[in-house]
Amino acid sequence: MLENGLHDIPPGKIAMIVTYLEMITKPVTKDVPLPQGVSFRRVQADAAWYRDIFTRVGALDWLWYGRLRLNDAALQKILGNSKVEIFTLSLDGQDEALLELDFREDGSCELAYFGLTSRLIRTGSGRYLMNQAISRAWEKPIERMHVHTCTIDSPQALGFYRRSGFKPIRQAVEIDDDPRILGLLPESAAPNVPVLRS
C-alpha cells in the first residue's frame, strides 16, 4: 500500500493512475447514425493491419504500447482467437478506428481497445462505435462488460466511458518502462508525457 505523499518515478519509467470500470447490465443506448462517408465492419486482422491501426489510434498520441511489445506470432495468436472480435470504422477507404472485444474470460467481455484517429473525433463516430461495442457484447451470455483507462490516455476517455454506462470500481498506480526509451515508439510520441532519462 502506498503511503500518503509524493513518490519519485525512476528514470526510464512512466507512471499512470489506472481506472477500472464495468457495467453489469446492458444500458439503454441512443441510436446515432454513422457520419456520411463512414462505414463500419468487422476485421479478420493480421499483425500488420493491427499494428498500423493501433499505432495511429493510440500509440503516437496516447502512448498505447502493450501490444507493440508482442512479436508477430504472439499478437497473431490473440487476433486469431475466435473469442476476440475486432471492428473498425473506415473513411474514404482508410481504416480510422479500433474496437476490440475480448470474450476469452467466461461470462465477461473486456473492451480491450477502443479509439478513433483524429479524422473521426467529434463526428459522432465514437458514440456509434461504442453503441456497437455495447450491443455486440451483450448479445453474448455475459454478466459484465469491463474496460480500463489511465491518466496518459485521452483526457476524454474516462468521461466518455462513464457516460456510456460504465461505473468505476477501482484504481491502481502503474509504473512501467517508457516505450519511447525502449524504442517501441519514437521519442516524439505523446508529448504530454515527459521522457525521464537517467
Side-chain angles (χ1 to χ4, degrees):
M1 184 69 92
L2 289 176
E3 296 180 8
N4 290 348
L6 299 174
H7 302 273
D8 287 341
I9 307 302
K13 303 285 186 177
I14 54 171
M16 61 212 91
I17 298 171
V18 180
T19 300
Y20 297 84
L21 306 99
E22 71 175 8
M23 59 173 68
I24 55 173
T25 57
K26 181 182 178 183
V28 175
T29 58
K30 180 181 177 183
D31 286 341
V32 294
L34 268 175
Q36 187 171 353
V38 177
S39 60
F40 172 78
R41 69 184 173 91
R42 185 168 178 181
V43 180
Q44 300 300 320
D46 61 26
W49 179 91
Y50 189 93
R51 289 185 194 285
D52 173 68
I53 196 71
F54 185 91
T55 300
R56 289 189 297 112
V57 166
L60 297 178
D61 288 333
W62 311 117
L63 220 57
W64 291 9
Y65 61 93
R67 292 288 172 78
L68 299 180
R69 288 180 159 169
L70 302 177
N71 63 33
D72 283 355
L75 178 56
Q76 196 61 54
K77 185 174 181 180
I78 296 169
L79 302 179
N81 191 302
S82 63
K83 294 185 177 182
V84 175
E85 299 180 4
I86 298 171
F87 304 86
T88 193
L89 296 173
S90 301
L91 176 63
D92 301 327
Q94 175 71 47
D95 295 331
E96 301 287 353
L98 176 61
L99 166 59
E100 182 176 336
L101 301 175
D102 187 338
F103 297 95
R104 290 179 291 175
E105 179 186 335
D106 288 344
S108 178
C109 174
E110 179 182 7
L111 181 58
Y113 287 99
F114 180 95
L116 315 169
T117 68
S118 59
R119 292 185 72 202
L120 292 183
I121 291 174
R122 295 186 186 88
T123 67
S125 297
R127 177 53 55 203
Y128 178 90
L129 193 63
M130 180 57 77
N131 286 353
Q132 289 292 324
I134 291 168
S135 175
R136 289 168 185 275
W138 288 99
E139 286 175 354
K140 310 278 189 185
I142 64 169
E143 297 168 1
R144 73 187 281 257
M145 184 179 185
H146 60 104
V147 65
H148 65 271
T149 187
C150 69
T151 50
I152 63 172
D153 201 356
S154 167
Q156 283 80 37
L158 182 57
F160 180 77
Y161 291 144
R162 294 180 79 173
R163 290 190 303 276
S164 299
F166 290 94
K167 300 206 178 336
I169 55 171
R170 72 182 180 99
Q171 289 186 307
V173 175
E174 181 179 2
I175 297 175
D176 203 355
D177 296 324
D178 190 319
R180 296 163 296 186
I181 292 176
L182 294 176
L184 295 172
L185 290 169
E187 194 158 320
S188 60
N192 56 309
V193 180
V195 177
L196 302 175
R197 294 186 178 275
S198 54

